[in-house]
Amino acid sequence: MKLEFFNSNCVILGFFDFDNGKVSQINTKQEFLNASNGILDYKLEFKEGDIINEAKDDRSRSGYYIIKAKSINELALLEQKLLDSIDIEYA
């Protein structure tokens, strides 16, 4: 398969994959999430006290993110930093 790039940005729509269980606390590195130009959008589809179950379809996923970077390597790095910036504690 040949990939063709039409501009200088790489973009990904990804989905959070948290463990199942009752959420007792959501810890985020909000400073990073707000300051990163590469994070276009993200949303957690649960709050403290909710129970996260295994996703059965797109609507039951626990959240999503849209990020961009100038290269695939930078995109992978940003994605890992984003995932590391959110920590869920379970009851």
Side-chain angles (χ1 to χ4, degrees), residues 13-75:
L13 164 63
F15 298 96
F16 293 111
D17 186 24
F18 298 110
D19 292 335
N20 297 339
K22 184 173 183 175
V23 177
S24 63
Q25 190 166 351
I26 302 169
N27 302 304
T28 61
K29 295 180 182 171
Q30 205 61 44
E31 224 173 82
F32 166 75
L33 295 171
N34 292 338
S36 177
N37 292 334
I39 300 174
L40 302 178
D41 193 21
Y42 75 94
K43 185 172 183 183
L44 301 177
E45 299 290 349
F46 59 90
K47 60 187 180 309
E48 292 175 359
D50 286 352
I51 296 174
I52 297 176
N53 294 307
E54 182 179 349
K56 297 188 184 334
D57 54 37
D58 289 342
R59 296 203 63 148
S60 63
R61 293 180 190 259
S62 54
Y64 70 90
Y65 53 90
I66 303 171
I67 57 176
K68 74 170 183 171
K70 292 182 180 177
S71 71
I72 291 176
N73 289 340
E74 286 181 27
L75 190 67

Side-chain angles (χ1 to χ4, degrees), residues 5-19:
F5 296 95
F6 298 101
N7 63 36
S8 61
N9 286 320
C10 299
V11 178
I12 187 171
L13 164 63
F15 298 96
F16 293 111
D17 186 24
F18 298 110
D19 292 335

